[in-house]
Amino acid sequence: MKKILIFILTVVILIFAYNEYKDYKRFHPKNVNYLVNENIDLNYHDQSVVYDYNEAISALNGFVITQWSANEIDVRHPEDDDAQTQYAVSEYSKKLAKVKFYEAKLTQSKTLKSKGLNNVDIKNIESKGFSADKASNSIALEKFKEMMLKSIPKTNLIYQEKSAFVYEMQKLLVKKGFDIPVDGIYKSITSEALRNFEEKNQLFPDGKIDLLTLYKLLE
């Protein structure tokens, strides 16, 4: 009889210990804590965002621990559906969304910097509401515009002149709606398209490329 009681007591202790261990593992900091993303830009142009990001993570982790220790609510994987649990889960979602908001800004910044941008570039891009992909396209476009402006001929193009600049200029005219061949050869059809473009945009209509006309073509 004594052995049976000892056995039952041992089983009860083991069950209790196992349940305590499960709860410990379930809410051990290694599993509970939301960790700082390794792909964020710590040198972001607005350091207050980096601070707010870390503060938001601390608030999130503290909320998770508090809800479990005080109310036994696992806000990440709730087991109940009562009003208190629903409120706690809702608050957790808000705090997590705040973390993700800052994280998105900081990860995008690091991605853009890996492509050669600096804080000034990123600040300008964000002011336009661009995503990382759209920002990359915008950067490529700005570089193209810069190259075109630098490569504009110092003298007027002559008939049948062939060059990469003429080719790119023809592509720009096609994008503006002109039906001309894109062959890199400066012919009367290209000159006429330029003249029409200048007329439509209140520029001097001489059919010759200059900085004012090129600026307008690049818009």
Side-chain angles (χ1 to χ4, degrees), residues 143-212:
K143 287 183 178 179
F144 170 74
K145 288 180 179 180
E146 184 181 346
M147 289 173 61
M148 284 293 288
L149 291 168
K150 285 182 178 179
S151 61
I152 189 170
K154 292 181 173 57
T155 58
N156 290 333
L157 293 168
I158 59 176
Y159 183 69
Q160 292 294 338
E161 181 175 340
K162 187 174 184 179
S163 69
F165 178 85
V166 173
Y167 181 81
E168 295 299 332
M169 183 180 68
Q170 289 171 332
K171 285 166 61 178
L172 292 171
L173 286 165
V174 169
K175 286 183 179 179
K176 297 296 182 181
F178 293 94
D179 185 15
I180 61 172
V182 180
D183 54 11
I185 303 172
Y186 186 69
K187 293 180 284 192
S188 57
I189 190 171
T190 302
S191 177
E192 187 62 28
L194 268 177
R195 188 177 1 262
N196 291 336
F197 175 78
E198 289 167 332
E199 285 179 350
K200 289 180 179 178
N201 290 277
Q202 291 79 52
L203 299 170
F204 183 65
D206 59 358
K208 297 176 182 178
I209 192 70
D210 54 29
L211 279 175
L212 289 176

Coordinates of all heavy atoms in Angstrom, one line a residue, residues 143-212:
K143 N 19.3 58.6 -62.8 CA 20.7 58.4 -63.4 C 20.7 58.5 -64.9 O 21.6 59.1 -65.5 CB 21.2 57.0 -62.9 CG 21.7 57.0 -61.4 CD 22.3 55.6 -61.1 CE 22.7 55.6 -59.6 NZ 23.3 54.3 -59.2
F144 N 19.6 57.9 -65.5 CA 19.4 58.0 -66.9 C 19.3 59.5 -67.4 O 19.9 59.9 -68.3 CB 18.2 57.2 -67.4 CG 17.8 57.5 -68.8 CD1 18.6 56.9 -69.8 CD2 16.7 58.2 -69.1 CE1 18.2 57.1 -71.2 CE2 16.4 58.4 -70.5 CZ 17.1 57.9 -71.5
K145 N 18.5 60.3 -66.6 CA 18.3 61.7 -66.9 C 19.6 62.4 -66.9 O 20.0 63.2 -67.7 CB 17.3 62.3 -66.0 CG 15.9 61.9 -66.2 CD 14.9 62.6 -65.2 CE 13.5 62.2 -65.5 NZ 12.6 62.8 -64.5
E146 N 20.4 62.1 -65.8 CA 21.7 62.8 -65.6 C 22.6 62.5 -66.8 O 23.3 63.3 -67.3 CB 22.3 62.3 -64.3 CG 23.6 63.0 -63.9 CD 24.2 62.5 -62.6 OE1 23.4 61.8 -61.9 OE2 25.4 62.7 -62.4
M147 N 22.6 61.2 -67.2 CA 23.5 60.8 -68.3 C 23.1 61.5 -69.6 O 23.9 61.9 -70.4 CB 23.5 59.3 -68.5 CG 24.2 58.5 -67.4 SD 23.9 56.7 -67.5 CE 24.7 56.4 -69.1
M148 N 21.8 61.5 -69.9 CA 21.3 62.2 -71.1 C 21.7 63.7 -71.1 O 22.1 64.2 -72.1 CB 19.8 62.0 -71.2 CG 19.3 60.7 -71.6 SD 19.8 60.2 -73.3 CE 18.6 61.3 -74.2
L149 N 21.5 64.3 -70.0 CA 21.8 65.8 -69.9 C 23.3 66.0 -70.1 O 23.7 67.0 -70.7 CB 21.3 66.4 -68.6 CG 19.8 66.4 -68.4 CD1 19.5 66.8 -67.0 CD2 19.2 67.5 -69.4
K150 N 24.1 65.1 -69.6 CA 25.6 65.3 -69.8 C 26.0 64.9 -71.2 O 27.1 65.4 -71.7 CB 26.3 64.3 -68.8 CG 26.3 64.8 -67.4 CD 27.1 63.9 -66.5 CE 27.1 64.4 -65.0 NZ 27.8 63.5 -64.1
S151 N 25.3 64.1 -71.9 CA 25.7 63.6 -73.2 C 25.1 64.4 -74.4 O 25.3 64.1 -75.5 CB 25.4 62.2 -73.4 OG 24.0 61.9 -73.3
I152 N 24.3 65.5 -74.1 CA 23.7 66.3 -75.1 C 24.8 66.9 -76.0 O 25.8 67.4 -75.5 CB 22.8 67.4 -74.5 CG1 22.0 68.1 -75.6 CG2 23.6 68.4 -73.8 CD1 20.9 69.0 -75.1
P153 N 24.6 66.8 -77.3 CA 25.7 67.3 -78.3 C 25.9 68.7 -78.1 O 25.0 69.5 -77.8 CB 25.1 67.0 -79.6 CG 24.1 65.9 -79.4 CD 23.5 66.1 -78.1
K154 N 27.2 69.1 -78.2 CA 27.6 70.5 -78.0 C 27.3 71.3 -79.3 O 27.2 72.5 -79.2 CB 29.1 70.6 -77.7 CG 29.5 70.0 -76.3 CD 30.9 70.1 -76.1 CE 31.3 69.7 -74.6 NZ 30.9 68.4 -74.2
T155 N 27.1 70.6 -80.4 CA 26.7 71.3 -81.6 C 25.4 70.7 -82.1 O 25.1 69.6 -81.7 CB 27.8 71.1 -82.7 OG1 28.1 69.7 -82.9 CG2 29.1 71.8 -82.3
N156 N 24.8 71.3 -83.0 CA 23.5 70.8 -83.6 C 23.7 69.5 -84.3 O 24.7 69.3 -84.9 CB 22.9 71.8 -84.5 CG 22.4 73.1 -83.8 OD1 22.0 73.0 -82.7 ND2 22.3 74.2 -84.6
L157 N 22.7 68.6 -84.1 CA 22.8 67.3 -84.8 C 22.7 67.6 -86.3 O 21.9 68.5 -86.8 CB 21.6 66.4 -84.4 CG 21.7 65.9 -82.9 CD1 20.3 65.3 -82.5 CD2 22.8 64.9 -82.7
I158 N 23.4 66.8 -87.1 CA 23.3 67.0 -88.5 C 22.6 65.8 -89.2 O 22.5 64.7 -88.6 CB 24.7 67.1 -89.2 CG1 25.6 65.8 -88.8 CG2 25.4 68.3 -88.6 CD1 26.9 65.8 -89.5
Y159 N 22.0 66.0 -90.3 CA 21.3 65.0 -91.0 C 22.1 63.7 -91.2 O 23.2 63.7 -91.6 CB 20.8 65.5 -92.4 CG 19.9 64.6 -93.2 CD1 18.6 64.3 -92.7 CD2 20.4 63.9 -94.3 CE1 17.8 63.4 -93.5 CE2 19.6 63.1 -95.0 CZ 18.3 62.8 -94.6 OH 17.5 62.0 -95.3
Q160 N 21.4 62.6 -90.9 CA 22.0 61.2 -91.0 C 23.1 60.9 -89.9 O 23.7 59.9 -90.0 CB 22.6 61.0 -92.4 CG 21.6 60.9 -93.5 CD 20.7 59.7 -93.4 OE1 21.0 58.7 -92.8 NE2 19.5 59.8 -94.1
E161 N 23.2 61.8 -89.0 CA 24.1 61.6 -87.9 C 23.6 60.4 -87.0 O 22.4 60.3 -86.7 CB 24.3 62.8 -87.0 CG 25.2 62.6 -85.8 CD 25.5 63.8 -85.0 OE1 25.2 65.0 -85.5 OE2 25.9 63.7 -83.8
K162 N 24.4 59.5 -86.7 CA 24.1 58.3 -85.9 C 24.8 58.2 -84.6 O 26.0 58.4 -84.5 CB 24.4 57.0 -86.7 CG 23.9 55.7 -86.1 CD 24.1 54.6 -87.1 CE 23.5 53.3 -86.5 NZ 23.7 52.1 -87.4
S163 N 24.0 58.1 -83.5 CA 24.6 58.0 -82.2 C 23.7 57.4 -81.2 O 22.5 57.3 -81.4 CB 25.0 59.4 -81.7 OG 23.8 60.2 -81.5
A164 N 24.3 57.0 -80.0 CA 23.5 56.5 -78.9 C 22.5 57.5 -78.4 O 21.4 57.2 -78.0 CB 24.4 56.0 -77.8
F165 N 23.0 58.8 -78.4 CA 22.1 59.9 -77.9 C 20.9 60.0 -78.8 O 19.7 60.1 -78.2 CB 22.9 61.2 -77.9 CG 22.0 62.4 -77.5 CD1 21.9 62.7 -76.1 CD2 21.4 63.2 -78.4 CE1 21.1 63.7 -75.7 CE2 20.6 64.2 -78.0 CZ 20.4 64.5 -76.6
V166 N 21.0 60.0 -80.1 CA 19.9 60.0 -81.0 C 18.9 58.9 -80.7 O 17.7 59.0 -80.7 CB 20.3 60.1 -82.5 CG1 19.1 60.0 -83.4 CG2 21.1 61.3 -82.8
Y167 N 19.5 57.7 -80.5 CA 18.7 56.5 -80.2 C 17.8 56.7 -79.0 O 16.6 56.4 -79.0 CB 19.6 55.3 -80.1 CG 18.9 54.0 -79.8 CD1 18.3 53.3 -80.8 CD2 18.8 53.5 -78.5 CE1 17.7 52.0 -80.6 CE2 18.2 52.3 -78.2 CZ 17.6 51.6 -79.3 OH 17.0 50.4 -79.0
E168 N 18.4 57.2 -77.9 CA 17.7 57.4 -76.7 C 16.7 58.5 -76.8 O 15.6 58.5 -76.3 CB 18.6 57.7 -75.5 CG 19.6 56.6 -75.2 CD 18.8 55.3 -74.7 OE1 17.7 55.4 -74.2 OE2 19.4 54.2 -74.9
M169 N 17.0 59.6 -77.6 CA 16.1 60.7 -77.8 C 14.9 60.2 -78.6 O 13.7 60.6 -78.3 CB 16.8 61.8 -78.6 CG 16.0 63.0 -78.9 SD 16.9 64.3 -79.8 CE 17.0 63.5 -81.4
Q170 N 15.1 59.3 -79.6 CA 14.0 58.8 -80.3 C 13.0 58.0 -79.4 O 11.8 58.0 -79.6 CB 14.5 57.9 -81.5 CG 15.1 58.7 -82.6 CD 15.8 57.9 -83.6 OE1 16.3 56.8 -83.3 NE2 15.9 58.3 -84.8
K171 N 13.6 57.2 -78.5 CA 12.8 56.4 -77.6 C 12.0 57.3 -76.7 O 10.8 57.0 -76.4 CB 13.7 55.6 -76.7 CG 14.3 54.3 -77.4 CD 15.5 53.7 -76.6 CE 15.1 53.2 -75.2 NZ 16.2 52.6 -74.5
L172 N 12.5 58.5 -76.3 CA 11.8 59.4 -75.5 C 10.6 60.0 -76.3 O 9.5 60.2 -75.8 CB 12.7 60.6 -75.0 CG 13.7 60.2 -74.0 CD1 14.7 61.3 -73.7 CD2 13.1 59.8 -72.7
L173 N 10.9 60.3 -77.6 CA 9.8 60.9 -78.4 C 8.7 59.8 -78.7 O 7.5 60.2 -78.7 CB 10.4 61.3 -79.8 CG 11.2 62.6 -79.8 CD1 12.0 62.7 -81.0 CD2 10.3 63.8 -79.6
V174 N 9.1 58.6 -78.8 CA 8.1 57.5 -78.9 C 7.2 57.4 -77.7 O 6.0 57.3 -77.8 CB 8.7 56.2 -79.2 CG1 7.7 55.0 -79.1 CG2 9.4 56.2 -80.6
K175 N 7.8 57.6 -76.5 CA 7.1 57.5 -75.3 C 6.1 58.7 -75.2 O 5.1 58.6 -74.5 CB 8.0 57.6 -74.1 CG 8.7 56.2 -73.8 CD 9.6 56.3 -72.6 CE 10.3 55.0 -72.3 NZ 11.2 55.1 -71.1
K176 N 6.4 59.8 -75.8 CA 5.6 61.0 -75.8 C 4.5 60.9 -76.9 O 3.7 61.8 -77.1 CB 6.4 62.2 -76.1 CG 7.4 62.5 -75.0 CD 6.7 62.8 -73.6 CE 7.8 63.2 -72.6 NZ 7.2 63.4 -71.3
G177 N 4.5 59.7 -77.6 CA 3.4 59.5 -78.6 C 3.7 59.7 -80.0 O 2.8 59.6 -80.9
F178 N 4.9 59.9 -80.4 CA 5.3 60.1 -81.7 C 5.7 58.8 -82.4 O 6.5 58.0 -81.9 CB 6.5 61.1 -81.8 CG 6.1 62.5 -81.4 CD1 6.3 62.9 -80.1 CD2 5.5 63.4 -82.3 CE1 6.0 64.2 -79.7 CE2 5.2 64.7 -81.9 CZ 5.4 65.1 -80.6
D179 N 5.2 58.6 -83.6 CA 5.4 57.3 -84.3 C 6.6 57.6 -85.3 O 6.5 58.0 -86.4 CB 4.2 57.0 -85.1 CG 4.3 55.6 -85.9 OD1 5.2 54.9 -85.5 OD2 3.5 55.4 -86.8
I180 N 7.8 57.3 -84.7 CA 9.0 57.4 -85.5 C 9.9 56.2 -85.3 O 9.7 55.5 -84.3 CB 9.8 58.7 -85.1 CG1 10.2 58.6 -83.6 CG2 9.0 60.0 -85.3 CD1 11.2 59.6 -83.1
P181 N 10.8 55.9 -86.3 CA 11.7 54.8 -86.1 C 12.7 55.1 -85.0 O 13.1 56.2 -84.9 CB 12.3 54.6 -87.5 CG 12.2 56.0 -88.1 CD 11.0 56.6 -87.6
V182 N 13.0 54.0 -84.3 CA 14.1 54.1 -83.3 C 15.3 53.4 -83.8 O 15.5 52.2 -83.6 CB 13.6 53.5 -81.9 CG1 14.7 53.7 -80.9 CG2 12.3 54.2 -81.4
D183 N 16.1 54.1 -84.5 CA 17.3 53.5 -85.2 C 18.6 54.2 -84.9 O 19.7 53.8 -85.4 CB 17.1 53.4 -86.7 CG 16.7 54.8 -87.3 OD1 16.9 55.8 -86.6 OD2 16.3 54.8 -88.5
G184 N 18.5 55.3 -84.1 CA 19.7 56.1 -83.8 C 20.2 57.0 -84.8 O 21.3 57.6 -84.7
I185 N 19.4 57.1 -85.9 CA 19.8 58.0 -87.1 C 19.0 59.2 -87.1 O 17.8 59.2 -87.1 CB 19.7 57.2 -88.4 CG1 20.5 55.9 -88.4 CG2 20.2 58.1 -89.6 CD1 20.3 55.0 -89.6
Y186 N 19.6 60.4 -87.1 CA 18.9 61.7 -87.1 C 18.5 62.0 -88.5 O 19.3 62.4 -89.3 CB 19.8 62.8 -86.5 CG 19.1 64.1 -86.3 CD1 18.2 64.2 -85.3 CD2 19.4 65.2 -87.0 CE1 17.5 65.4 -85.1 CE2 18.8 66.4 -86.8 CZ 17.8 66.5 -85.9 OH 17.2 67.7 -85.7
K187 N 17.2 61.9 -88.7 CA 16.6 62.2 -90.0 C 15.5 63.2 -89.9 O 15.1 63.6 -88.8 CB 16.1 60.9 -90.7 CG 17.2 59.9 -91.0 CD 16.7 58.6 -91.7 CE 16.1 57.7 -90.6 NZ 15.8 56.4 -91.1
S188 N 14.9 63.6 -91.0 CA 13.9 64.6 -91.0 C 12.7 64.2 -90.1 O 12.0 65.1 -89.5 CB 13.4 64.9 -92.4 OG 12.9 63.8 -93.1
I189 N 12.3 62.9 -90.1 CA 11.2 62.5 -89.3 C 11.4 62.7 -87.8 O 10.5 63.1 -87.1 CB 10.8 61.0 -89.6 CG1 9.5 60.6 -89.0 CG2 12.0 60.1 -89.1 CD1 9.0 59.3 -89.4
T190 N 12.7 62.5 -87.4 CA 13.0 62.8 -86.0 C 13.0 64.3 -85.7 O 12.4 64.7 -84.7 CB 14.4 62.2 -85.6 OG1 14.4 60.8 -85.9 CG2 14.7 62.5 -84.2
S191 N 13.5 65.1 -86.6 CA 13.5 66.5 -86.5 C 12.1 67.1 -86.4 O 11.8 68.0 -85.6 CB 14.3 67.2 -87.6 OG 14.3 68.6 -87.5
E192 N 11.2 66.5 -87.3 CA 9.9 67.0 -87.3 C 9.1 66.6 -86.0 O 8.3 67.4 -85.5 CB 9.1 66.4 -88.5 CG 7.7 66.9 -88.8 CD 7.7 68.4 -89.1 OE1 8.7 68.9 -89.6 OE2 6.7 69.0 -88.8
A193 N 9.4 65.5 -85.5 CA 8.8 65.0 -84.3 C 9.2 66.0 -83.1 O 8.4 66.4 -82.3 CB 9.1 63.6 -83.9
L194 N 10.5 66.3 -83.1 CA 11.0 67.3 -82.1 C 10.3 68.6 -82.2 O 9.9 69.2 -81.2 CB 12.5 67.5 -82.3 CG 13.4 66.6 -81.5 CD1 14.9 66.9 -81.9 CD2 13.2 66.8 -80.0
R195 N 10.1 69.1 -83.5 CA 9.5 70.4 -83.7 C 8.0 70.4 -83.2 O 7.6 71.3 -82.5 CB 9.5 70.8 -85.2 CG 9.0 72.1 -85.4 CD 9.0 72.6 -86.9 NE 9.6 71.7 -87.8 CZ 10.8 71.6 -88.3 NH1 11.7 72.5 -87.8 NH2 11.2 70.8 -89.2
N196 N 7.3 69.3 -83.5 CA 5.9 69.2 -83.0 C 5.9 69.1 -81.5 O 5.0 69.7 -80.8 CB 5.3 67.9 -83.6 CG 5.0 68.0 -85.1 OD1 4.9 69.1 -85.6 ND2 5.0 66.9 -85.8
F197 N 6.8 68.4 -80.9 CA 6.9 68.3 -79.4 C 7.1 69.7 -78.8 O 6.5 70.0 -77.8 CB 8.0 67.3 -79.0 CG 8.2 67.2 -77.5 CD1 7.4 66.5 -76.7 CD2 9.3 67.9 -76.9 CE1 7.6 66.5 -75.3 CE2 9.5 67.9 -75.6 CZ 8.6 67.1 -74.8
E198 N 8.0 70.4 -79.4 CA 8.3 71.8 -78.9 C 7.1 72.7 -79.0 O 6.8 73.5 -78.1 CB 9.5 72.4 -79.7 CG 10.8 71.7 -79.3 CD 11.9 72.0 -80.3 OE1 11.7 72.3 -81.5 OE2 13.1 72.0 -79.9
E199 N 6.4 72.6 -80.1 CA 5.2 73.4 -80.3 C 4.1 73.1 -79.2 O 3.5 74.0 -78.6 CB 4.6 73.2 -81.7 CG 5.3 73.8 -82.8 CD 4.7 73.5 -84.1 OE1 3.8 72.7 -84.2 OE2 5.1 74.2 -85.1
K200 N 4.0 71.8 -78.9 CA 3.0 71.4 -77.9 C 3.3 71.8 -76.5 O 2.5 72.0 -75.7 CB 2.8 69.8 -78.0 CG 2.1 69.3 -79.2 CD 2.0 67.8 -79.2 CE 1.3 67.3 -80.4 NZ 1.2 65.8 -80.4
N201 N 4.6 72.0 -76.3 CA 5.1 72.4 -74.9 C 5.6 73.8 -74.8 O 6.3 74.1 -73.9 CB 6.2 71.4 -74.5 CG 5.6 70.0 -74.3 OD1 5.1 69.7 -73.2 ND2 5.7 69.1 -75.3
Q202 N 5.1 74.7 -75.7 CA 5.4 76.1 -75.7 C 6.9 76.4 -75.7 O 7.4 77.3 -75.0 CB 4.7 76.8 -74.5 CG 3.2 76.9 -74.6 CD 2.5 75.6 -74.3 OE1 2.8 75.0 -73.2 NE2 1.6 75.1 -75.1
L203 N 7.7 75.6 -76.5 CA 9.1 75.8 -76.6 C 9.4 76.3 -78.0 O 8.5 76.2 -78.9 CB 9.9 74.5 -76.4 CG 9.7 73.9 -75.0 CD1 10.4 72.5 -75.0 CD2 10.4 74.7 -73.9
F204 N 10.6 76.9 -78.2 CA 10.9 77.4 -79.5 C 10.9 76.2 -80.5 O 11.8 75.4 -80.4 CB 12.2 78.1 -79.5 CG 12.6 78.7 -80.8 CD1 11.9 79.8 -81.4 CD2 13.7 78.3 -81.6 CE1 12.2 80.3 -82.6 CE2 14.0 78.8 -82.8 CZ 13.3 79.8 -83.3
P205 N 10.1 76.2 -81.5 CA 9.9 75.1 -82.4 C 10.9 75.1 -83.6 O 10.5 75.4 -84.7 CB 8.5 75.2 -82.9 CG 8.2 76.6 -83.0 CD 9.0 77.2 -81.8
D206 N 12.2 74.7 -83.3 CA 13.1 74.7 -84.4 C 13.5 73.2 -84.8 O 14.4 73.0 -85.7 CB 14.4 75.5 -84.0 CG 15.1 75.0 -82.7 OD1 14.5 74.0 -82.1 OD2 16.1 75.5 -82.3
G207 N 13.0 72.2 -84.0 CA 13.3 70.9 -84.4 C 14.7 70.5 -84.0 O 15.2 69.4 -84.5
K208 N 15.4 71.3 -83.1 CA 16.7 71.0 -82.7 C 16.7 70.7 -81.2 O 16.1 71.4 -80.4 CB 17.7 72.1 -83.0 CG 17.8 72.4 -84.5 CD 18.6 73.6 -84.8 CE 18.7 73.9 -86.3 NZ 19.5 75.1 -86.6
I209 N 17.5 69.7 -80.8 CA 17.6 69.4 -79.4 C 18.4 70.4 -78.6 O 19.5 70.7 -79.0 CB 18.1 67.9 -79.2 CG1 17.9 67.5 -77.7 CG2 19.5 67.8 -79.6 CD1 16.4 67.2 -77.4
D210 N 17.9 70.9 -77.5 CA 18.7 71.7 -76.6 C 18.3 71.3 -75.2 O 17.4 70.4 -75.0 CB 18.4 73.2 -76.9 CG 17.0 73.6 -76.9 OD1 16.2 72.9 -76.1 OD2 16.5 74.5 -77.6
L211 N 18.9 72.0 -74.2 CA 18.6 71.6 -72.8 C 17.1 71.8 -72.4 O 16.6 70.9 -71.7 CB 19.5 72.4 -71.9 CG 20.9 72.0 -71.7 CD1 21.7 72.9 -70.8 CD2 21.0 70.6 -71.1
L212 N 16.5 72.8 -72.9 CA 15.1 73.0 -72.5 C 14.2 71.9 -73.1 O 13.3 71.4 -72.4 CB 14.6 74.4 -73.0 CG 15.2 75.6 -72.3 CD1 14.7 76.9 -72.9 CD2 14.8 75.6 -70.8

